[in-house]
Each structure stands twice: as structure tokens, then as C-alpha cells.
Amino acid sequence: MIGDVIITGCAGLVGHAVRLRLEREGVSCMAVDLVPAEVEGRPVLGCDLVDMPRLRELTAGRSVAAIVHCGALSGPAVGRNSPLQQVSVNIVGTANMLELGRELGISRFVYVSSVSAYGDCHGEDLDERTPLRPTNVYGATKAASEMLVIAYAADFRIPAVSLRLSMVYGPRRETACCLRDMLMSGLTGSPMRLEWGHDLRRQPIHIDDAAAAVVGALKAPGFRQGAYNITGGVAVTFGEAAEIVRDLLLRADILLGTGMVEGDNIQGSHSIAAAARDLGYRPQVDLRRGLAGYADWLRDRPGPEQGGAGA
Ligand SMILES: NC(=O)c1ccc[n+]([C@@H]2O[C@H](COP(=O)([O-])OP(=O)(O)OC[C@H]3O[C@@H](n4cnc5c(N)ncnc54)[C@H](O)[C@@H]3O)[C@@H](O)[C@H]2O)c1
């Protein structure tokens, strides 16, 4: 790859993991996030995604090969009370990154979308032809951004793709995450009581697999469709995940009710067959091993308070 890969949201969970993976392969990355930062000793440039003049200024004169767009208000719970801000950051931010890519003449754009774009789903092994019917503003911002990605790809011949990630877990996750709260209960012995979650299904994906999928999309020779489901491959309820946590950490004291989280959606299981075929994507970290590693990480670094289910 000749030129830099711009990674937005690079102080965040997915962006940082993608950066580490690319830099290990010798790829030069330009890391961007809302405020300047240093993450594990690596500098991140500050720029608001909605500030197009600043994005242009940062990239002026640089050779840029690709953009990985991870920057967003991530998850239905983040910015739930400021839906217009979700729209601005997530949709306008994506439009700005696509436009920047057009101006810079990039050869690949990878947009990190979400299965939240589907809204409520009840089926098994649903492929990417499943209609997008988002049930929260966050999901709508992901669906709308995907449309922009498709339009820029068609109109300006930018090889661009959207990856619909399921719930990502693992070290460095800072946003609300039910799995982390379960592990914290196991590590501290503190009770975790929720009125919801027991029957809520997700296909958790470990951060290492999510980053591998993004890198796979950067390297893929081409795309046969505009979007790909990227999950951990196995659907579990939070009740089943709690069983694994109890088995790993005997002190876990978790009681989940059968209600729903306000603003969250029902998720079926999403097929990853197309991603396996076109991106060479195959999840490597099974849930039990991933949770054990996440617990090891949390042991040294207690996380924030209990929150929502996680995207
Ligand atoms: N974490 C999940 O479970 C999950 C699931 C599906 C999809 N996704 C998607 O993956 C992407 C990355 O999410 P993540 O989990 O790494 O979240 P994260 O919150 O860890 O990282 C997102 C980053 O975006 C940055 N950001 C927010 N507003 C910004 C702005 N105005 N300008 C510049 N940067 C801004 C934040 O500072 C943050 O560092 C997002 O697009 C999210 O929608 C995440």
C-alpha cells in the first residue's frame, strides 16, 4: 500500500486495534480522533469529523492510500439524548470522510458500520440482503452512512465498503458493555442485577477479530457487494454468556431479567458467509477464550459503571 491509511476514531476501541494491526505490518497510519491524544505511546491527531476545513488542513500534501472510518458516536446508548448530534457526527462525519477520500484520490474506503442498521431482526443466518429498518437513531445513522458509501463508490469509482459489525468486546472497550459488567461482577464479587438481558441475543465479536476483518477489507482484491456482516459467528443470549462468566469466575453474582433495554433492538443471527468468501474473514477468538482474556485485562484496570447492552 503506497501512502498513509487515515484511521478515524483512532483513540477508540476499533480504530486503535486496526492501527496496531496495520503498523505491525509496516503500514503507515495517520491516526485521528476528536481531541489530540497519545494512546499506548502512539500519537493521535485531533480533529472533529464535522470540521471539513481542519480535515483538509491535516491531510494537505500527504499521500493517502486509504481511509478506515471508525470515528462515531458508537452505539445506541452513546448520545441517545442528543440524536441530532448522532446525526451530525455519524452521517455528516462519514460524508466528510468520503469527500476527503475523493479529493485525495484514495484507492480504498472502509466504513465501520453496525448490525444496528438492520433494526429488529428475528431470523437465523440472515444475509446482507435483509432490509435495513433501523429502530433507533444510531442505527439510522449507520444505514444512512452506508448509503453514502454506496453512492460515492458508484459515482466516483472509489472502492468502498461497509462492514456491519456486531457487538464488539474485549480489552479497551470503554462504552457501555454488558459483558464487561458481568466480568467485573466475577472479578469483584459485586452483584450485577438487570431487569433485562437474559433472552437478548447478540453475536459478540472479539476486538482482535473485528480489527482483522477491517484489515481484510483493506486488502481484499474487490467487493461483490456494498456491505458485509462481521460477527463472532455464534449467537448467544446474555443469559448464556453469564453462564460462561460464572464458569470462568466463581464469584460472579449475576441476575438478569427478561425485559428489553430501552432504545435497543432485537437481533437475529447474521451470516458471515459473504465476508468469508470475499474478505477471507473467519473469527478466531471464541467467546469463552475472549472473555477469559478480557477478564485478565480488566483485573488490572476496573471499568466504568454498569450501562446498556452494548451495540
Ligand atoms: N463497539 C461496538 O460494539 C460496535 C458495534 C458495531 C459497530 N461499531 C462501530 O464501530 C466504530 C468504532 O466504534 P468503537 O467501538 O471503537 O467506539 P469508541 O467509542 O471506542 O470509538 C469511537 C471514537 O470516535 C471518536 N469520535 C466521536 N465523535 C467524534 C467527532 N465528532 N470527531 C472525531 N472523532 C469522534 C471518539 O472520540 C472515539 O474515540 C463506530 O462507527 C461504531 O458505530 C461498534
Side-chain angles (χ1 to χ4, degrees):
M1 197 172 293
I2 299 166
D4 294 340
V5 176
I6 299 177
I7 306 172
T8 66
C10 211
L13 176 66
V14 177
H16 180 68
V18 170
R19 175 191 200 167
L20 291 184
R21 195 167 274 260
L22 286 174
E23 287 185 346
R24 270 202 304 271
E25 295 181 11
V27 175
S28 165
C29 297
M30 180 180 167
V32 182
D33 207 295
L34 182 58
V35 290
E38 199 171 275
V39 181
E40 294 176 355
R42 293 169 162 80
V44 176
L45 301 170
C47 181
D48 193 323
L49 290 166
V50 301
D51 186 350
M52 193 63 185
R54 169 78 177 140
L55 284 167
R56 288 195 177 110
E57 181 188 289
L58 272 182
T59 51
R62 288 181 86 129
S63 161
V64 178
I67 293 175
V68 175
H69 181 37
C70 307
L73 294 177
S74 170
V78 183
R80 179 162 161 71
N81 296 322
S82 323
L84 268 186
Q85 202 195 351
Q86 288 181 328
V87 168
S88 172
V89 173
N90 292 6
I91 304 178
V92 177
T94 303
N96 282 348
M97 293 314 299
L98 285 162
E99 180 57 17
L100 191 71
R102 184 180 78 86
E103 292 172 2
L104 293 168
I106 59 167
S107 52
R108 181 121 326 171
F109 189 99
V110 179
Y111 172 58
V112 180
S113 185
S114 166
V115 294
S116 293
Y118 287 117
D120 289 339
C121 293
H122 295 272
E124 300 300 315
D125 233 15
L126 298 163
D127 71 19
E128 291 83 354
R129 288 169 297 189
T130 307
L132 302 183
R133 296 196 186 99
T135 47
N136 50 44
V137 173
Y138 168 71
T141 68
K142 304 311 279 185
S145 294
E146 285 195 20
M147 296 303 119
L148 285 168
V149 172
I150 289 169
Y152 263 78
D155 214 359
F156 304 115
R157 299 190 199 293
I158 300 172
V161 72
S162 296
L163 303 183
R164 294 178 188 151
L165 264 54
S166 59
M167 172 194 181
V168 186
Y169 73 98
R172 294 194 70 261
R173 173 149 184 167
E174 302 290 354
T175 48
C177 179
C178 191
L179 295 178
R180 180 191 52 220
D181 295 343
M182 289 181 195
L183 292 171
M184 287 308 295
S185 169
L187 291 171
T188 62
S190 60
M192 176 181 174
R193 303 281 180 264
L194 294 179
E195 288 175 5
W196 52 267
H198 188 269
D199 303 321
L200 197 61
R201 282 175 99 208
R202 290 290 183 267
Q203 286 173 287
I205 176 173
H206 191 269
I207 181 59
D208 290 351
D209 285 331
V214 172
V215 173
L218 275 174
K219 291 179 175 171
F223 307 114
R224 284 197 252 178
Q225 52 194 60
Y228 292 88
N229 297 331
I230 303 290
T231 80
V234 176
V236 290
T237 62
F238 283 124
E240 290 162 343
E243 278 305 309
I244 299 175
V245 172
R246 285 189 196 100
D247 200 40
L248 288 170
L249 302 166
L250 298 180
R251 294 170 74 200
D253 177 12
I254 305 164
L255 278 183
L256 304 177
T258 53
M260 272 293 290
V261 193
E262 195 189 349
D264 217 327
N265 56 267
I266 295 163
Q267 292 182 10
S269 81
H270 300 282
S271 167
I272 51 173
R277 181 195 65 206
D278 296 351
L279 314 180
Y281 171 67
R282 280 175 192 78
Q284 301 294 315
V285 186
D286 72 46
L287 185 58
R288 187 183 171 87
R289 184 159 72 85
L291 287 173
Y294 195 10
D296 289 342
W297 184 83
L298 288 167
R299 198 170 272 121
D300 298 327
R301 176 150 180 221
E305 295 301 302
Q306 291 179 4

